[in-house]
Amino acid sequence: MKYIYQLIIVALVLVSCSADKDNSLDSVLETGNLETVRQKREELVNSQQALDEKIKLLDEKIKSLDTTKQVPLITTFKANPEVFNHVLELQGNVTTKDLLTITPEYNGILTNMFVKEGQSVSKGQILAKIDDGGLSQQLAQLKIQSQLAKTTFERQKRLWDQKIGSEIQFLQAKSSYESQQESVNQLNQQIAKTTVRAPFSGTIDDVITEQGSVVIAGQTQLMRIVSLDNMYIETEVPERYVTDVVKGKNVTVNLPVLGKTIDTKVRQASDFINPANRTFKVEIEIPNKDNDVKPNLTARLKINDYTNEQALLIPQSVISENADGEQYVYVVMDKNKEGLGTAKRVIIETGRTQNDIIEVLKGLDNGAEIIKEGARSVRDGQAVEIIEYNEDEKSN
């Protein structure tokens, strides 16, 4: 207080001097002498500069004496252990293993198309028929010849069993019968190729070739069949996550077009790293009870690649970095009942981030009170005043 009184006295003296100068100024103006007026002006300018310097010194002294203005106002939060589920965000496409464009196994005219678009079919159901080009007639003739060869063989066998006839006759009859049987089987297989059957149960998505068209084996696309029962999402994951993204990991799937979110798991993780882009493929199963998930839909994926049951999480905005590249935060020490404490700088080591939250691996104790608002304006060892305290606040 003694210093403040002294400063007030100095200020009063300065004001008094200013009043005396004003009286002197009137007399100078009354002289009407230009040179005298200029000299007076110069004196006043010099006096003003000296006065500004004195006022500056007064302000600095007041600032140093008024200690209440040196305590910055801050807010804090507590770093308590909690579960941290880090997710890897990727994009994938919905697909199915039961999606096939059917082509014929036989050349000929498509004589019958037994299904239409949108029709549900069962595995093995006949979908279309191709003209066999006379194979059925050939089969009928072969069956007659095969029946004759069978009768001849059976008679020769009975005779051979009774030790009648030669062995060569028996073997020739047996060979002829077996040859006829093989020919019949081969022709049956050829004729079976003229019948197009469903390889699995599903829906005829598109009929591509019309009845009466000439089709070529392995080339002409007859129809497309799809099943929505075995849907999955395929995505490519960077190789650095090869030990984190494995079979059984939890996945949240978002289908923006459908406005649908599904919780599922990784069904399969490939062991092959693509050398072209250094990624590996992952399959994610996706239930489809309502059959609203379609092939080639775009999906946004959040794959849980890391979990810490006792993580200390803080906002990235409270972290600073020193010249050595070390990260640090300020914590409040020795806090009293009035909310006054001391800021202490703590060097930390951080781990994974999720949005604006980061995991602290080393440097912080459980329950440490960390400065949030005002963290950029405090210094190590400085007194601080807490104006707000919210234990649960981290990310806002």
Side-chain angles (χ1 to χ4, degrees):
M1 294 298 294
K2 177 181 178 181
Y3 291 108
I4 294 176
Y5 288 143
Q6 291 176 350
L7 292 173
I8 293 173
I9 293 172
V10 172
L12 291 174
V13 172
L14 291 174
V15 171
S16 177
C17 292
S18 176
D20 293 341
K21 289 181 180 179
D22 288 340
N23 294 333
S24 177
L25 177 63
D26 291 338
S27 60
V28 170
L29 293 175
E30 289 176 358
T31 62
N33 187 290
L34 178 60
E35 187 64 29
T36 303
V37 172
R38 284 178 174 173
Q39 290 178 356
K40 188 62 178 178
R41 182 184 183 283
E42 186 176 352
E43 290 177 6
L44 291 177
V45 170
N46 294 334
S47 299
Q48 181 65 38
Q49 291 177 350
L51 185 61
D52 289 342
E53 291 294 330
K54 292 177 181 179
I55 291 174
K56 184 177 179 181
L57 292 174
L58 290 172
D59 289 340
E60 291 177 353
K61 192 63 177 179
I62 291 173
K63 185 177 179 181
S64 64
L65 294 175
D66 191 2
T67 57
T68 59
K69 298 297 183 180
Q70 301 302 309
V71 180
L73 304 178
I74 62 167
T75 62
T76 63
F77 66 91
K78 281 192 175 181
N80 293 319
E82 60 184 285
V83 177
F84 177 44
N85 290 313
H86 184 270
V87 295
L88 173 63
E89 298 187 14
L90 298 170
Q91 184 169 298
N93 291 320
V94 177
T95 185
T96 175
K97 294 187 182 296
D98 295 336
L99 174 62
L100 181 65
T101 300
I102 299 176
T103 58
E105 297 182 88
Y106 192 81
N107 297 331
I109 298 174
L110 185 63
T111 56
N112 297 97
M113 180 66 73
F114 299 113
V115 293
K116 57 184 179 181
E117 294 179 4
Q119 180 178 337
S120 297
V121 296
S122 303
K123 182 178 180 179
Q125 180 177 334
I126 297 176
L127 307 179
K129 187 72 174 65
I130 301 171
D131 180 52
D132 60 20
L135 292 182
S136 298
Q137 289 81 357
Q138 295 180 32
L139 178 61
Q141 294 175 3
L142 279 177
K143 285 182 177 180
I144 294 173
Q145 296 173 8
S146 177
Q147 187 61 39
L148 176 61
K150 179 181 179 182
T151 302
T152 302
F153 168 67
E154 290 174 347
R155 289 180 179 179
Q156 287 293 334
K157 187 176 184 302
R158 285 196 296 270
L159 291 173
W160 178 248
D161 291 341
Q162 298 173 11
K163 306 300 181 180
I164 300 174
S166 64
E167 182 181 6
I168 189 65
Q169 289 176 323
F170 167 72
L171 294 176
Q172 286 176 343
K174 180 181 178 182
S175 176
S176 178
Y177 171 61
E178 291 177 349
S179 176
Q180 290 295 328
Q181 281 288 89
E182 185 64 27
S183 297
V184 170
N185 291 336
Q186 289 180 357
L187 200 54
N188 274 325
Q189 292 176 5
Q190 286 292 103
I191 293 175
K193 292 180 179 180
T194 66
T195 302
V196 181
R197 298 180 181 273
F200 51 81
S201 298
T203 302
I204 302 301
D205 186 61
D206 187 18
V207 175
I208 302 172
T209 302
E210 299 294 332
Q211 182 173 306
S213 302
V214 176
V215 297
I216 301 174
Q219 296 185 24
T220 305
Q221 297 182 351
L222 300 181
M223 64 196 75
R224 183 168 55 248
I225 182 174
V226 61
S227 172
L228 301 180
D229 295 333
N230 188 22
M231 306 295 289
Y232 68 96
I233 297 172
E234 188 175 78
T235 188
E236 295 183 342
V237 181
E239 65 175 335
R240 65 178 177 273
Y241 298 102
V242 70
T243 59
D244 299 323
V245 179
V246 295
K247 181 179 179 180
K249 282 288 188 176
N250 293 326
V251 183
T252 299
V253 177
N254 177 254
L255 301 168
V257 173
L258 302 180
K260 189 173 185 178
T261 300
I262 302 171
D263 291 325
T264 180
K265 295 181 180 295
V266 173
R267 181 170 74 182
Q268 179 183 348
S270 175
D271 294 326
F272 173 75
I273 304 296
N274 188 339
N277 56 12
R278 311 306 304 176
T279 63
F280 62 98
K281 288 186 177 181
V282 167
E283 289 184 9
I284 299 162
E285 60 182 349
I286 180 168
N288 193 22
K289 295 180 180 179
D290 300 330
N291 286 339
D292 55 350
V293 180
K294 311 295 183 182
N296 298 317
L297 277 178
T298 298
R300 296 174 183 170
L301 310 173
K302 293 183 178 181
I303 305 176
N304 173 220
D305 63 324
Y306 170 78
T307 298
N308 185 347
E309 299 290 343
Q310 295 288 318
L312 294 178
L313 306 177
I314 65 174
Q316 296 189 61
S317 58
V318 304
I319 300 177
S320 300
E321 188 172 301
N322 60 24
D324 297 326
E326 296 174 319
Q327 293 179 313
Y328 64 88
V329 296
Y330 285 102
V331 299
V332 176
M333 307 295 293
D334 305 324
K335 187 179 72 172
N336 59 23
K337 294 181 180 180
E338 289 74 27
L340 295 175
T342 303
K344 179 183 178 182
R345 185 170 62 182
V346 177
I347 303 296
I348 61 173
E349 291 184 17
T350 57
R352 307 198 185 202
T353 62
Q354 192 70 59
N355 299 324
D356 62 338
I357 296 298
I358 190 167
E359 174 191 28
V360 178
L361 301 178
K362 293 181 180 179
L364 283 182
D365 296 327
N366 293 347
E369 193 167 346
I370 302 171
I371 297 177
K372 185 182 178 185
E373 295 181 12
R376 304 291 183 182
S377 60
V378 300
R379 300 186 305 273
D380 189 28
Q382 185 178 17
V384 292
E385 180 181 354
I386 302 171
I387 60 172
E388 179 184 354
Y389 175 66
N390 189 343
E391 184 175 351
D392 298 325
E393 182 181 6
K394 291 183 187 68
S395 58
N396 295 330

